[in-house]
Amino acid sequence: MAFFQNNFWGEKNAGFDVLYHNMKHGQLATKELAEFVRESAAIEETYSKSMSKLAKMASNGSPLGTFAPMWDVFRVSSDKLALCHLELMRKMNDLIRDINKYGDEQVKIHRKAELKSKKAAESFALCIEKYNRVGGEFEQKMSESAQKFQEIEEAHLRQMKQLIKGYSHSIEDTHVQVGQVHEEFKQNVENIGIDNLIQKFAEQKGTGRERPGTGKERPALVGFEEYMTALAPEGGKKSRAKAFRIPGLGKRDKEPDSTDSVVTEAL
Amino acid sequence: MAFFQNNFWGEKNAGFDVLYHNMKHGQLATKELAEFVRESAAIEETYSKSMSKLAKMASNGSPLGTFAPMWDVFRVSSDKLALCHLELMRKMNDLIRDINKYGDEQVKIHRKAELKSKKAAESFALCIEKYNRVGGEFEQKMSESAQKFQEIEEAHLRQMKQLIKGYSHSIEDTHVQVGQVHEEFKQNVENIGIDNLIQKFAEQKGTGRERPGTGKERPALVGFEEYMTALAPEGGKKSRAKAFRIPGLGKRDKEPDSTDSVVTEAL
């Protein structure tokens, strides 16, 4: 549609001025878009760094207790999120380069357009004297200018929309990746059953296997062994003098029921 | 599975100690989870604020030129993203309250457990003298303790997983919302056709409608009107003395071809 040709008439070159300045505003819009994307990239970078910090926090989670393996799930997930957002920042930085490149091209296009404008003005100056043709000439020239301005504007907006699509796609890709990380996190949390955690802890921190009465080999009841050792002549009161006592090794010369302290804290 | 009952035998009360301390580590895990979620909430708050800033940046986008309406799309989208992340922050803060509440309950549970442990120890002390029964007594008490510890641990892990699920769900909800905002943004950008922008600009900034030759009413060619006015005796050279000249009103006493400047910049 010939929107510009239909709407920018009026007082002398007022319409021309508006269209000319609109073209120039295109350069501002390009710059502003680059600034907007730059700010977005900065936000993503900050977010990415925060996620790395969160991953570090998770990796510093206490390695003690049954809950410990869960921190690994948090750490992996946070690290991946940090990567997703870092990748988005990178894509946005690439986009800023594209926008700036377009901005440079745009300046060139406008410069050419200005040259043509000057030429048109010169050739038109020659016709000024032919007074009776001025009206028609003006209409024709104004129409041509409006059409050209509209073409430039359409190309500009097409380019800007293309750049915005790039922005949108990058965000969309990241959003999909982030969704996968969340899904993974959820799955990982579900997969780590409570039994798994209990078992893992029992295997890693277990103090002795084979509970008596399970049919498996009966564990050595160290208390009794110590008692037996204590009864032997070489045991004596040797360990008593030691300042540092290994737990459970401090009551050798006591009553034979050396297990008395074993359950003092039992529930 | 009786993981604790099978794996925490060994030297005297070493197993008991490990299980007792593991229970206590549960309190640390709860605190650490609260801290982790607090940090997450802080990250979301920062992100939300950054998005609000970005929305402000978009609302400060130049209102001139055909691209101007696009900034509204950016602004709305950024504002909505800010809200999504603020909402996530709020949900995380609610979750922190739940975690802390559980932390308080946990302390109480552990205290009761400790009381029982003392009682068990006292009643067991009475049996110490019956030497021949100590082995069996120890086994039984240790089994009971291990079982109780495992129950406490299972309940604790169940609670922790429930809290993590809350965290996960909040993030998931926000992710879905954010996805909707992105989709909306994409749609809005697509919906704002280049023709729409051109038309909108033409309508808002147009200097005159009805291009000559479109069959509609011919616009007033102000240049000519001025010329006619200039020819009339009351026109004179009045405006010449004015310091401020309204564009297109400064050449009244010139040649009749007052449109000479109209296209000097025409393409």
Side-chain angles (χ1 to χ4, degrees):
Chain A
M1 283 285 286
F3 294 112
F4 280 7
Q5 280 164 293
N6 289 346
N7 289 280
F8 290 90
W9 298 89
E11 202 172 299
K12 279 189 167 177
N13 55 350
F16 182 94
D17 281 353
V18 170
L19 292 177
Y20 181 80
H21 284 113
N22 175 52
M23 181 181 81
K24 288 292 184 183
H25 286 136
Q27 291 180 29
L28 181 63
T30 307
K31 261 183 204 161
E32 283 179 343
L33 184 65
E35 277 162 26
F36 185 88
V37 178
R38 194 172 294 119
E39 187 65 26
S40 294
I43 292 171
E44 295 304 323
E45 192 181 10
T46 302
Y47 196 76
S48 172
K49 280 180 182 168
S50 304
M51 278 293 151
S52 290
K53 202 180 147 197
L54 201 63
K56 194 146 205 169
M57 199 170 171
S59 74
N60 285 335
S62 171
L64 304 166
T66 49
F67 189 74
M70 273 296 187
W71 287 121
D72 222 39
V73 177
F74 279 103
R75 182 188 57 75
V76 168
S77 176
S78 303
D79 259 337
K80 283 187 179 176
L81 286 177
L83 274 178
C84 288
H85 288 271
L86 194 71
E87 182 63 22
L88 181 54
M89 180 211 74
R90 281 193 195 122
K91 282 181 183 170
M92 282 177 173
N93 283 339
D94 288 346
L95 187 66
I96 292 165
R97 269 192 287 279
D98 290 344
I99 296 171
N100 289 338
K101 204 176 139 191
Y102 166 61
D104 293 344
E105 283 167 19
Q106 194 183 22
V107 168
K108 281 179 201 163
I109 291 165
H110 289 186
R111 261 185 212 145
K112 278 178 215 148
E114 281 164 56
L115 277 173
K116 272 193 181 176
S117 148
K118 270 186 191 171
K119 275 197 177 176
E122 282 164 18
S123 74
F124 189 57
L126 296 172
C127 308
I128 289 177
E129 284 151 58
K130 303 170 194 171
Y131 170 62
N132 59 342
R133 286 186 55 213
V134 164
E137 194 91 28
F138 165 75
E139 280 172 18
Q140 197 204 321
K141 289 278 174 191
M142 188 58 207
S143 272
E144 279 170 23
S145 294
Q147 199 190 329
K148 185 69 193 159
F149 276 128
Q150 186 166 332
E151 278 165 24
I152 288 176
E153 209 53 29
E154 279 169 358
H156 165 60
L157 291 171
R158 216 176 293 125
Q159 187 62 43
M160 291 296 268
K161 280 191 80 170
Q162 204 55 40
L163 291 165
I164 294 172
K165 262 185 193 166
Y167 177 77
S168 188
H169 280 163
S170 299
I171 288 175
E172 214 171 15
D173 287 351
T174 302
H175 188 255
V176 171
Q177 287 167 2
V178 165
Q180 285 166 351
V181 176
H182 290 334
E183 190 54 41
E184 247 178 64
F185 174 77
K186 216 174 73 177
Q187 276 302 318
N188 285 340
V189 170
E190 264 174 46
N191 289 346
I192 299 191
I194 290 168
D195 265 14
N196 298 143
L197 291 171
I198 298 273
Q199 186 176 9
K200 205 168 188 177
F201 178 79
E203 281 166 10
Q204 286 178 349
K205 307 284 167 68
T207 51
R209 296 181 179 279
E210 313 306 340
R211 175 188 167 222
T214 56
K216 297 180 184 175
E217 196 192 340
R218 194 187 171 88
L221 267 177
V222 183
F224 282 97
E225 278 176 354
E226 277 165 22
Y227 166 66
M228 296 305 279
T229 314
L231 283 183
E234 70 272 20
K237 297 184 180 185
K238 234 165 50 179
S239 70
R240 271 221 137 167
K242 285 182 184 172
F244 178 69
R245 292 183 183 195
I246 299 165
L249 287 174
K251 292 166 181 183
R252 288 185 175 185
D253 42 357
K254 253 192 143 185
E255 283 280 288
D257 48 349
S258 57
T259 50
D260 61 345
S261 70
V262 173
V263 283
T264 46
E265 290 182 302
L267 299 182
Chain B
M1 283 283 290
F3 294 114
F4 280 8
Q5 278 165 298
N6 288 346
N7 289 280
F8 290 89
W9 297 90
E11 200 173 302
K12 279 189 170 177
N13 54 350
F16 182 93
D17 280 353
V18 169
L19 292 178
Y20 181 80
H21 284 113
N22 175 52
M23 180 181 80
K24 288 291 183 184
H25 287 136
Q27 291 180 29
L28 181 62
T30 307
K31 263 184 203 162
E32 283 179 342
L33 184 65
E35 277 162 26
F36 185 87
V37 178
R38 194 173 293 120
E39 186 67 26
S40 294
I43 293 172
E44 295 304 323
E45 191 182 12
T46 302
Y47 196 74
S48 173
K49 280 181 183 168
S50 303
M51 279 294 152
S52 290
K53 203 180 146 196
L54 202 64
K56 196 147 203 168
M57 199 172 173
S59 73
N60 285 334
S62 171
L64 304 166
T66 49
F67 189 75
M70 273 297 188
W71 287 121
D72 222 40
V73 177
F74 280 103
R75 183 188 56 76
V76 168
S77 175
S78 304
D79 258 337
K80 283 188 178 175
L81 286 176
L83 273 177
C84 289
H85 288 271
L86 194 73
E87 182 62 22
L88 180 54
M89 180 211 73
R90 282 194 196 122
K91 283 180 182 169
M92 282 176 174
N93 283 338
D94 287 347
L95 187 66
I96 293 166
R97 269 192 288 278
D98 289 345
I99 296 172
N100 288 338
K101 202 176 141 193
Y102 166 61
D104 293 344
E105 283 167 18
Q106 193 182 21
V107 168
K108 281 180 201 161
I109 291 165
H110 289 186
R111 258 186 214 144
K112 275 178 213 145
E114 280 164 57
L115 276 174
K116 271 194 180 175
S117 148
K118 270 186 190 169
K119 274 199 177 173
E122 281 164 17
S123 74
F124 188 58
L126 296 172
C127 310
I128 287 177
E129 282 151 59
K130 304 171 190 171
Y131 170 61
N132 59 341
R133 284 186 55 210
V134 164
E137 192 92 28
F138 165 74
E139 280 173 21
Q140 198 205 322
K141 289 277 175 193
M142 188 59 205
S143 271
E144 278 169 25
S145 294
Q147 199 189 329
K148 185 70 194 154
F149 276 128
Q150 185 165 331
E151 278 165 23
I152 288 176
E153 208 54 28
E154 280 169 356
H156 164 59
L157 290 171
R158 216 175 294 124
Q159 187 62 44
M160 290 296 267
K161 281 191 78 169
Q162 204 55 40
L163 291 165
I164 294 172
K165 262 185 194 167
Y167 177 75
S168 189
H169 279 164
S170 298
I171 288 176
E172 214 171 14
D173 286 350
T174 302
H175 189 255
V176 171
Q177 288 166 2
V178 164
Q180 285 166 351
V181 175
H182 289 334
E183 190 54 42
E184 246 179 62
F185 174 76
K186 216 173 72 175
Q187 277 301 319
N188 285 342
V189 170
E190 264 174 47
N191 290 346
I192 298 192
I194 290 167
D195 264 13
N196 297 142
L197 290 171
I198 297 273
Q199 186 176 7
K200 206 168 188 175
F201 178 78
E203 281 166 10
Q204 286 178 348
K205 308 284 167 72
T207 50
R209 295 177 181 282
E210 312 305 341
R211 178 191 163 216
T214 56
K216 295 180 187 175
E217 195 193 341
R218 194 188 172 89
L221 268 176
V222 183
F224 280 99
E225 277 176 356
E226 276 164 25
Y227 165 64
M228 296 304 279
T229 313
L231 282 185
E234 70 272 18
K237 296 182 178 184
K238 235 164 51 180
S239 70
R240 272 221 138 171
K242 285 182 183 170
F244 178 70
R245 293 183 184 195
I246 300 163
L249 286 176
K251 291 167 183 181
R252 287 185 177 185
D253 42 357
K254 250 192 145 188
E255 283 281 289
D257 47 354
S258 56
T259 52
D260 62 343
S261 70
V262 172
V263 283
T264 48
E265 288 182 306
L267 300 178

